[in-house]
Amino acid sequence: MIIVNLDVMMAKRKMSLTELSERIDITPANLSILKTGKARAIRFSTLESICQILKCQPGDILEYAPDNTEINK
């Protein structure tokens, strides 16, 4: 399971969804889908833009956590 911590990084940088979406040229709706973890994919160019604006690493935004079925294998 991939956990998206975009909201955490945005809060640390005191940046709103609207401001970030304008700065990376993505619609607020699409950024919201990513922020809530409902996105099925992310382009590297989008990830790069987010990291550049938020001054962070991809690992600050995306985190892997095994689900319960993987832990019990």
Side-chain angles (χ1 to χ4, degrees):
M1 157 184 248
I2 301 295
I3 299 169
V4 180
N5 294 314
L6 182 57
D7 54 345
V8 174
M9 289 307 301
M10 289 170 54
K12 286 182 179 179
R13 302 298 189 253
K14 297 181 173 130
M15 189 171 294
S16 70
L17 183 95
T18 303
E19 182 182 355
L20 182 59
S21 70
E22 289 172 356
R23 293 184 69 182
I24 64 172
D25 197 28
I26 188 172
T27 66
N30 284 339
L31 189 58
S32 179
I33 289 168
L34 177 60
K35 187 180 94 159
T36 58
K38 295 179 182 175
R40 304 289 283 158
I42 182 171
R43 292 184 176 170
F44 282 142
S45 59
T46 302
L47 183 58
E48 182 179 0
S49 295
I50 291 170
C51 289
Q52 182 179 25
I53 298 300
L54 295 178
K55 296 178 175 56
C56 66
Q57 294 295 313
D60 296 328
I61 297 170
L62 302 174
E63 176 184 348
Y64 171 74
D67 62 18
N68 290 336
T69 58
E70 291 181 17
I71 293 172
N72 296 325
K73 284 185 180 180

